[in-house]
């Protein structure tokens, strides 16, 4: 699990890790120097996505649109002002007030390493998606490919 991965790096058993910013910040908090690399430089993965069935898209498009737009608005605010986002997080989750500095570092890393570089916030990149599917197929994580355009829509982002 995450704690074990972090501990392997902290105790020197593992020289590196690939994971979420929280893990890197945890390693740094233990006094270990960290060199950060955006995963997208090595692997065409995707940060987070909103998954919705075709049935819900057809039946409740306004709900889907509201969730997507609300999520993207919040994400844009986090990217624009990570310090304010940290303050908002601590206000919403006051039991983590003692971890404010660590949360600020995590949010800053997400804005730099995970969410940066999108041509338009939230728009799916079909080339990246195709590379990811090719990898999953090659590694036998999936059994067959699907036409990329059947797997996503940017309808609610635009």
């Amino acid at each position: 699990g995450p704690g074990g991965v972090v501990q392997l790096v902290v105790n020197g058993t593992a020289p590196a890790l690939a994971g979420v910013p929280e893990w890197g910040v945890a390693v740094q908090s233990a006094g270990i120097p960290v060199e950060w690399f955006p995963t997208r430089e090595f692997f065409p993965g995707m940060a987070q996505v909103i998954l919705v069935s075709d049935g819900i898209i057809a039946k409740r498009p306004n709900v889907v649109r509201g969730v997507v737009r609300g999520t993207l608005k919040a994400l844009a605010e986090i990217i624009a002002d990570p310090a304010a986002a940290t303050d908002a997080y601590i206000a919403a989750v006051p039991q983590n007030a003692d971890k404010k500095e660590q949360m600020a570092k995590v949010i800053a890393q997400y804005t730099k390493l995970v969410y940066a570089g999108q041509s338009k916030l939230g728009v799916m990149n079909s080339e990246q998606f195709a590379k990811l599917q090719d990898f999953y197929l090659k590694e036998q994580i999936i059994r067959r490919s699907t036409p990329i355009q059947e797997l996503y829509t940017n309808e609610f982002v635009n």
Side-chain angles (χ1 to χ4, degrees):
V5 172
V6 168
Q7 194 56 45
L8 288 171
V9 176
V10 169
N11 69 23
T13 303
L17 67 82
V20 294
E22 289 88 340
W23 296 5
V25 169
V27 170
Q28 277 183 323
S29 295
I32 307 299
V34 172
E35 189 171 350
W36 297 86
F37 300 96
T39 305
R40 68 181 161 272
E41 292 181 7
F42 308 99
F43 182 75
M46 297 175 200
Q48 286 98 12
V49 295
I50 296 172
L51 299 174
V52 181
S53 72
D54 291 340
I56 293 297
I57 289 173
K59 290 177 191 168
R60 304 193 69 196
N62 289 336
V63 171
V64 176
R65 184 172 288 103
V67 169
V68 170
R69 288 188 177 165
T71 300
L72 292 176
K73 181 180 181 197
L75 185 54
E77 290 175 4
I78 291 167
I79 292 168
D81 193 346
T86 301
D87 290 340
Y89 169 79
I90 295 301
V93 190
Q95 63 267 32
N96 285 340
D98 61 327
K99 299 176 186 170
K100 182 177 179 178
E101 184 179 333
Q102 188 171 2
M103 290 309 308
K105 289 177 183 178
V106 168
I107 290 171
Q109 291 301 342
Y110 270 103
T111 62
K112 288 190 288 189
L113 299 174
V114 179
Y115 301 124
Q118 296 180 50
S119 59
K120 180 176 180 181
L121 196 59
V123 171
M124 294 295 290
N125 178 324
S126 59
E127 278 184 31
Q128 180 183 2
F129 210 148
K131 287 179 186 176
L132 183 60
Q133 181 174 245
D134 290 346
F135 171 82
Y136 286 160
L137 191 60
K138 179 181 171 224
E139 296 301 320
Q140 300 179 348
I141 295 168
I142 60 175
R143 287 180 245 174
R144 63 177 174 79
S145 63
T146 301
I148 297 300
Q149 284 67 30
E150 292 180 18
L151 297 173
Y152 75 94
T153 180
N154 285 320
E155 172 186 352
F156 301 102
V157 176
N158 297 322

